[in-house]
Amino acid sequence: MGELTRLAVLLSGRGSNLVALAEACARGEVPAEIALAISNHPAAPGLERARERGIPVTAIAAKGLTREEHEAGVAAAIVAAGAEWVCLAGYMRLLSPAFVARFPQRIVNIHPALLPSFPGLEAQRQAWAYGVKLSGCTVHLVDAGCDSGPVVLQRTVPVLDDDTPETLAARILEQEHIAYPAALRMLLTRAWRLDGRRVVFD
Ligand code: GAR
């Protein structure tokens, strides 16, 4: 196997997607290693999950900083870690166009709904409240909009009559943990291009 791609994972909370990515890398399913986990919340449980796995972590709190200052710190940490790809894993901050432009087509996000339905916060609750019968998750390239970049991979789940937002979110999360490593594997191992906003694998 060739060189491992170095990833930076940005998170704000629990970190289950970071764990799924780390385990897929460790199993050799994704030819990458997580070079750094970064959180905007110093107390994010996801940082502890990273530490347990020997992944270097850094917290860059946004409080008291302008968006530009905060993002400059995040970008500097990514570059210092030698990371080429940036994986958002429950990172609850919108990235500026300038930040996105620093890592062109190298920032990936996972969203807990079938985009373009239900972007933004509490997507699982939005889908549940709307009454859709299918939902799921989307892995997409990040552009300067909110959950608006080109779709790489989606996985679906049924929405059941007796679901609550919580049971639906748990069913979606299981699929997130499959979808994120699978999408990253595709992006890192296959030739792909953008045709308009379609991610096309050759
Ligand atoms: C995941 O459900 C992820 O899809 C969602 O936050 C959760 C993070 O969980 N992301 C968003 O809603 C982004 N708009 P995790 O910290 O256990 O990976």
Side-chain angles (χ1 to χ4, degrees):
M1 191 148 83
E3 286 273 294
L4 294 177
T5 299
R6 293 173 72 79
L7 311 175
V9 176
L10 273 55
L11 59 88
S12 297
R14 181 175 54 189
S16 73
N17 277 291
L18 169 133
V19 171
L21 286 174
E23 289 181 349
C25 290
R27 287 193 300 265
E29 291 167 12
V30 179
E33 61 186 329
I34 303 177
L36 181 64
I38 305 175
S39 180
N40 56 320
H41 294 312
L47 288 183
E48 195 49 41
R49 300 287 86 76
R51 271 191 214 100
E52 288 163 5
R53 285 168 177 74
I55 297 167
V57 307
T58 185
I60 305 175
K63 197 162 186 267
L65 302 181
T66 65
R67 186 153 82 138
E68 289 69 26
E69 288 166 347
H70 182 257
E71 286 189 345
V74 173
I78 292 168
V79 171
E84 302 143 272
W85 283 76
V86 179
C87 299
L88 309 184
Y91 189 63
M92 296 306 184
R93 286 176 64 87
L94 198 59
L95 297 169
S96 72
F99 185 95
V100 172
R102 276 196 74 163
F103 307 96
Q105 292 176 27
R106 291 290 182 276
I107 310 177
V108 192
N109 182 42
I110 187 151
H111 183 74
L114 296 176
L115 292 170
S117 292
F118 314 120
L121 295 176
E122 296 201 35
Q124 307 95 328
R125 178 178 293 275
Q126 290 184 52
W128 174 85
Y130 191 93
V132 293
K133 301 300 184 189
L134 275 178
S135 192
C137 61
T138 304
V139 181
H140 65 93
L141 300 174
V142 172
D143 65 12
C146 176
D147 300 324
S148 59
V151 172
V152 179
L153 185 77
Q154 294 182 303
R155 290 181 68 91
T156 59
V157 304
V159 183
L160 307 179
D161 288 348
D162 60 356
D163 264 333
T164 62
E166 291 74 27
T167 59
L168 176 59
R171 190 174 308 117
I172 293 171
L173 191 64
E174 285 178 15
Q175 298 306 312
E176 294 186 42
H177 296 161
I178 298 169
Y180 213 166
L184 211 52
R185 178 188 170 85
M186 290 167 72
L187 289 169
L188 296 180
T189 63
R190 295 175 59 181
W192 60 273
R193 63 195 156 81
L194 275 180
D195 175 11
R197 42 168 304 124
R198 298 187 319 124
V199 178
V200 178
F201 289 88
D202 294 320

